[in-house]
Amino acid sequence: MHSIRFQFIAFITALLLVLLILLNTYPMVNSRDAVFEEKRSSMTGQASTVSSTLSSLERLSPENIAEVLRYLDLSAYSRVMVTDRAGLVLYDTAGAAGETAGAEDIFTCLEGKTVFRSSFSEESFDSSVAMPLSSQGELTGAVYLTEHDGERAEIILGFQRRIRAASL
């Protein structure tokens, strides 16, 4: 009889521990995934807007690109880069114009694929999107946007701290 009681208490304790672990991880994972999806959607949409706007240019040049981008609201992005089809940077808010793009995502993009990446750390969500730039069906370059978002990371981490405090 004593061993059945001990097994029952051990089972209930194990069940409570599993529930506490799920309570502490599931909401954070879902919140983080929702932010990833929102970022993918918004950044891909913005990159598509930039790409379609630049595709109307006869020739990609740093001056033409800068003039067109001046009318688009890209202030939320920490970096905006436009390359030609060889990967040479034509426009870069980080000052790398004239150099060969070093981001692997850009070279994948120059093969005609859209690339999105996002990572979550204790400090921020760091996201990037690379989208092909084409004119009249021909690949002419790539658009690359990066974003550093510490505000949403802090919201999720605060949410996690509140759940952890409530479960203890």
PDB file of all heavy atoms in Angstrom, residues 5-23:
ATOM      1  N   ARG A   5       0.977   4.422  -2.931  1.00  0.00           N
ATOM      2  CA  ARG A   5       0.853   5.837  -2.582  1.00  0.00           C
ATOM      3  C   ARG A   5       2.078   6.606  -3.099  1.00  0.00           C
ATOM      4  O   ARG A   5       1.949   7.681  -3.661  1.00  0.00           O
ATOM      5  CB  ARG A   5       0.724   5.998  -1.072  1.00  0.00           C
ATOM      6  CG  ARG A   5       0.492   7.447  -0.671  1.00  0.00           C
ATOM      7  CD  ARG A   5       0.367   7.629   0.806  1.00  0.00           C
ATOM      8  NE  ARG A   5      -0.779   6.860   1.305  1.00  0.00           N
ATOM      9  CZ  ARG A   5      -0.992   6.594   2.568  1.00  0.00           C
ATOM     10  NH1 ARG A   5      -0.144   7.003   3.482  1.00  0.00           N
ATOM     11  NH2 ARG A   5      -2.040   5.909   2.942  1.00  0.00           N
ATOM     12  N   PHE A   6       3.254   6.037  -2.909  1.00  0.00           N
ATOM     13  CA  PHE A   6       4.483   6.674  -3.380  1.00  0.00           C
ATOM     14  C   PHE A   6       4.472   6.807  -4.912  1.00  0.00           C
ATOM     15  O   PHE A   6       4.832   7.850  -5.450  1.00  0.00           O
ATOM     16  CB  PHE A   6       5.713   5.871  -2.928  1.00  0.00           C
ATOM     17  CG  PHE A   6       6.998   6.435  -3.450  1.00  0.00           C
ATOM     18  CD1 PHE A   6       7.536   7.586  -2.893  1.00  0.00           C
ATOM     19  CD2 PHE A   6       7.664   5.822  -4.505  1.00  0.00           C
ATOM     20  CE1 PHE A   6       8.716   8.121  -3.375  1.00  0.00           C
ATOM     21  CE2 PHE A   6       8.841   6.349  -4.997  1.00  0.00           C
ATOM     22  CZ  PHE A   6       9.371   7.511  -4.428  1.00  0.00           C
ATOM     23  N   GLN A   7       4.040   5.778  -5.619  1.00  0.00           N
ATOM     24  CA  GLN A   7       3.964   5.824  -7.081  1.00  0.00           C
ATOM     25  C   GLN A   7       2.960   6.884  -7.533  1.00  0.00           C
ATOM     26  O   GLN A   7       3.200   7.604  -8.502  1.00  0.00           O
ATOM     27  CB  GLN A   7       3.584   4.451  -7.634  1.00  0.00           C
ATOM     28  CG  GLN A   7       4.683   3.435  -7.547  1.00  0.00           C
ATOM     29  CD  GLN A   7       4.227   2.066  -8.028  1.00  0.00           C
ATOM     30  OE1 GLN A   7       3.047   1.837  -8.288  1.00  0.00           O
ATOM     31  NE2 GLN A   7       5.176   1.137  -8.110  1.00  0.00           N
ATOM     32  N   PHE A   8       1.838   6.962  -6.849  1.00  0.00           N
ATOM     33  CA  PHE A   8       0.831   7.955  -7.203  1.00  0.00           C
ATOM     34  C   PHE A   8       1.372   9.373  -7.004  1.00  0.00           C
ATOM     35  O   PHE A   8       1.213  10.235  -7.873  1.00  0.00           O
ATOM     36  CB  PHE A   8      -0.439   7.733  -6.367  1.00  0.00           C
ATOM     37  CG  PHE A   8      -1.528   8.703  -6.676  1.00  0.00           C
ATOM     38  CD1 PHE A   8      -2.227   8.624  -7.870  1.00  0.00           C
ATOM     39  CD2 PHE A   8      -1.853   9.716  -5.769  1.00  0.00           C
ATOM     40  CE1 PHE A   8      -3.222   9.525  -8.166  1.00  0.00           C
ATOM     41  CE2 PHE A   8      -2.852  10.627  -6.057  1.00  0.00           C
ATOM     42  CZ  PHE A   8      -3.550  10.534  -7.268  1.00  0.00           C
ATOM     43  N   ILE A   9       2.020   9.624  -5.888  1.00  0.00           N
ATOM     44  CA  ILE A   9       2.597  10.952  -5.613  1.00  0.00           C
ATOM     45  C   ILE A   9       3.700  11.263  -6.618  1.00  0.00           C
ATOM     46  O   ILE A   9       3.790  12.385  -7.121  1.00  0.00           O
ATOM     47  CB  ILE A   9       3.103  11.025  -4.152  1.00  0.00           C
ATOM     48  CG1 ILE A   9       1.910  11.010  -3.202  1.00  0.00           C
ATOM     49  CG2 ILE A   9       3.946  12.272  -3.932  1.00  0.00           C
ATOM     50  CD1 ILE A   9       2.278  10.879  -1.737  1.00  0.00           C
ATOM     51  N   ALA A  10       4.522  10.288  -6.943  1.00  0.00           N
ATOM     52  CA  ALA A  10       5.582  10.492  -7.938  1.00  0.00           C
ATOM     53  C   ALA A  10       4.984  10.803  -9.303  1.00  0.00           C
ATOM     54  O   ALA A  10       5.462  11.687 -10.025  1.00  0.00           O
ATOM     55  CB  ALA A  10       6.483   9.268  -8.008  1.00  0.00           C
ATOM     56  N   PHE A  11       3.909  10.110  -9.672  1.00  0.00           N
ATOM     57  CA  PHE A  11       3.240  10.354 -10.946  1.00  0.00           C
ATOM     58  C   PHE A  11       2.666  11.768 -11.004  1.00  0.00           C
ATOM     59  O   PHE A  11       2.841  12.484 -11.985  1.00  0.00           O
ATOM     60  CB  PHE A  11       2.135   9.312 -11.175  1.00  0.00           C
ATOM     61  CG  PHE A  11       1.306   9.593 -12.389  1.00  0.00           C
ATOM     62  CD1 PHE A  11       1.816   9.359 -13.661  1.00  0.00           C
ATOM     63  CD2 PHE A  11       0.021  10.107 -12.262  1.00  0.00           C
ATOM     64  CE1 PHE A  11       1.049   9.635 -14.779  1.00  0.00           C
ATOM     65  CE2 PHE A  11      -0.747  10.383 -13.380  1.00  0.00           C
ATOM     66  CZ  PHE A  11      -0.238  10.145 -14.658  1.00  0.00           C
ATOM     67  N   ILE A  12       1.973  12.178  -9.957  1.00  0.00           N
ATOM     68  CA  ILE A  12       1.384  13.523  -9.906  1.00  0.00           C
ATOM     69  C   ILE A  12       2.485  14.586  -9.957  1.00  0.00           C
ATOM     70  O   ILE A  12       2.363  15.595 -10.655  1.00  0.00           O
ATOM     71  CB  ILE A  12       0.497  13.691  -8.648  1.00  0.00           C
ATOM     72  CG1 ILE A  12      -0.703  12.747  -8.711  1.00  0.00           C
ATOM     73  CG2 ILE A  12       0.063  15.133  -8.450  1.00  0.00           C
ATOM     74  CD1 ILE A  12      -1.652  13.022  -9.865  1.00  0.00           C
ATOM     75  N   THR A  13       3.570  14.361  -9.220  1.00  0.00           N
ATOM     76  CA  THR A  13       4.690  15.309  -9.224  1.00  0.00           C
ATOM     77  C   THR A  13       5.295  15.421 -10.622  1.00  0.00           C
ATOM     78  O   THR A  13       5.563  16.526 -11.107  1.00  0.00           O
ATOM     79  CB  THR A  13       5.764  14.871  -8.206  1.00  0.00           C
ATOM     80  OG1 THR A  13       5.162  14.779  -6.914  1.00  0.00           O
ATOM     81  CG2 THR A  13       6.912  15.853  -8.163  1.00  0.00           C
ATOM     82  N   ALA A  14       5.504  14.291 -11.276  1.00  0.00           N
ATOM     83  CA  ALA A  14       6.056  14.304 -12.639  1.00  0.00           C
ATOM     84  C   ALA A  14       5.107  15.012 -13.600  1.00  0.00           C
ATOM     85  O   ALA A  14       5.534  15.800 -14.451  1.00  0.00           O
ATOM     86  CB  ALA A  14       6.336  12.882 -13.103  1.00  0.00           C
ATOM     87  N   LEU A  15       3.825  14.762 -13.462  1.00  0.00           N
ATOM     88  CA  LEU A  15       2.829  15.418 -14.309  1.00  0.00           C
ATOM     89  C   LEU A  15       2.841  16.928 -14.099  1.00  0.00           C
ATOM     90  O   LEU A  15       2.796  17.704 -15.066  1.00  0.00           O
ATOM     91  CB  LEU A  15       1.439  14.837 -14.012  1.00  0.00           C
ATOM     92  CG  LEU A  15       0.302  15.326 -14.896  1.00  0.00           C
ATOM     93  CD1 LEU A  15       0.553  14.958 -16.341  1.00  0.00           C
ATOM     94  CD2 LEU A  15      -1.018  14.734 -14.414  1.00  0.00           C
ATOM     95  N   LEU A  16       2.917  17.371 -12.866  1.00  0.00           N
ATOM     96  CA  LEU A  16       2.978  18.808 -12.573  1.00  0.00           C
ATOM     97  C   LEU A  16       4.246  19.446 -13.148  1.00  0.00           C
ATOM     98  O   LEU A  16       4.201  20.563 -13.678  1.00  0.00           O
ATOM     99  CB  LEU A  16       2.890  19.051 -11.068  1.00  0.00           C
ATOM    100  CG  LEU A  16       1.506  18.857 -10.451  1.00  0.00           C
ATOM    101  CD1 LEU A  16       1.578  18.986  -8.935  1.00  0.00           C
ATOM    102  CD2 LEU A  16       0.516  19.839 -11.038  1.00  0.00           C
ATOM    103  N   LEU A  17       5.356  18.750 -13.057  1.00  0.00           N
ATOM    104  CA  LEU A  17       6.600  19.271 -13.629  1.00  0.00           C
ATOM    105  C   LEU A  17       6.497  19.425 -15.144  1.00  0.00           C
ATOM    106  O   LEU A  17       6.925  20.438 -15.715  1.00  0.00           O
ATOM    107  CB  LEU A  17       7.785  18.372 -13.265  1.00  0.00           C
ATOM    108  CG  LEU A  17       8.295  18.488 -11.838  1.00  0.00           C
ATOM    109  CD1 LEU A  17       9.355  17.435 -11.564  1.00  0.00           C
ATOM    110  CD2 LEU A  17       8.850  19.885 -11.589  1.00  0.00           C
ATOM    111  N   VAL A  18       5.920  18.439 -15.799  1.00  0.00           N
ATOM    112  CA  VAL A  18       5.730  18.507 -17.255  1.00  0.00           C
ATOM    113  C   VAL A  18       4.818  19.678 -17.604  1.00  0.00           C
ATOM    114  O   VAL A  18       5.090  20.445 -18.539  1.00  0.00           O
ATOM    115  CB  VAL A  18       5.184  17.174 -17.811  1.00  0.00           C
ATOM    116  CG1 VAL A  18       4.710  17.323 -19.244  1.00  0.00           C
ATOM    117  CG2 VAL A  18       6.235  16.085 -17.706  1.00  0.00           C
ATOM    118  N   LEU A  19       3.735  19.845 -16.860  1.00  0.00           N
ATOM    119  CA  LEU A  19       2.820  20.962 -17.109  1.00  0.00           C
ATOM    120  C   LEU A  19       3.505  22.310 -16.891  1.00  0.00           C
ATOM    121  O   LEU A  19       3.284  23.262 -17.651  1.00  0.00           O
ATOM    122  CB  LEU A  19       1.575  20.835 -16.238  1.00  0.00           C
ATOM    123  CG  LEU A  19       0.607  19.727 -16.641  1.00  0.00           C
ATOM    124  CD1 LEU A  19      -0.523  19.597 -15.614  1.00  0.00           C
ATOM    125  CD2 LEU A  19       0.051  19.976 -18.021  1.00  0.00           C
ATOM    126  N   LEU A  20       4.326  22.429 -15.853  1.00  0.00           N
ATOM    127  CA  LEU A  20       5.055  23.678 -15.613  1.00  0.00           C
ATOM    128  C   LEU A  20       6.040  23.971 -16.745  1.00  0.00           C
ATOM    129  O   LEU A  20       6.174  25.113 -17.179  1.00  0.00           O
ATOM    130  CB  LEU A  20       5.798  23.611 -14.277  1.00  0.00           C
ATOM    131  CG  LEU A  20       4.958  23.864 -13.040  1.00  0.00           C
ATOM    132  CD1 LEU A  20       5.787  23.644 -11.785  1.00  0.00           C
ATOM    133  CD2 LEU A  20       4.372  25.265 -13.065  1.00  0.00           C
ATOM    134  N   ILE A  21       6.705  22.958 -17.232  1.00  0.00           N
ATOM    135  CA  ILE A  21       7.641  23.154 -18.356  1.00  0.00           C
ATOM    136  C   ILE A  21       6.884  23.609 -19.590  1.00  0.00           C
ATOM    137  O   ILE A  21       7.288  24.562 -20.269  1.00  0.00           O
ATOM    138  CB  ILE A  21       8.446  21.865 -18.623  1.00  0.00           C
ATOM    139  CG1 ILE A  21       9.424  21.628 -17.477  1.00  0.00           C
ATOM    140  CG2 ILE A  21       9.175  21.940 -19.956  1.00  0.00           C
ATOM    141  CD1 ILE A  21      10.092  20.263 -17.498  1.00  0.00           C
ATOM    142  N   LEU A  22       5.755  22.965 -19.891  1.00  0.00           N
ATOM    143  CA  LEU A  22       4.947  23.385 -21.038  1.00  0.00           C
ATOM    144  C   LEU A  22       4.417  24.799 -20.855  1.00  0.00           C
ATOM    145  O   LEU A  22       4.410  25.591 -21.802  1.00  0.00           O
ATOM    146  CB  LEU A  22       3.790  22.412 -21.255  1.00  0.00           C
ATOM    147  CG  LEU A  22       4.144  21.083 -21.899  1.00  0.00           C
ATOM    148  CD1 LEU A  22       2.924  20.176 -21.952  1.00  0.00           C
ATOM    149  CD2 LEU A  22       4.710  21.293 -23.287  1.00  0.00           C
ATOM    150  N   LEU A  23       3.974  25.117 -19.666  1.00  0.00           N
ATOM    151  CA  LEU A  23       3.454  26.448 -19.379  1.00  0.00           C
ATOM    152  C   LEU A  23       4.528  27.515 -19.585  1.00  0.00           C
ATOM    153  O   LEU A  23       4.231  28.621 -20.020  1.00  0.00           O
ATOM    154  CB  LEU A  23       2.911  26.510 -17.947  1.00  0.00           C
ATOM    155  CG  LEU A  23       2.369  27.856 -17.488  1.00  0.00           C
ATOM    156  CD1 LEU A  23       1.124  28.218 -18.284  1.00  0.00           C
ATOM    157  CD2 LEU A  23       2.047  27.815 -16.008  1.00  0.00           C
TER     158      LEU A  23
END
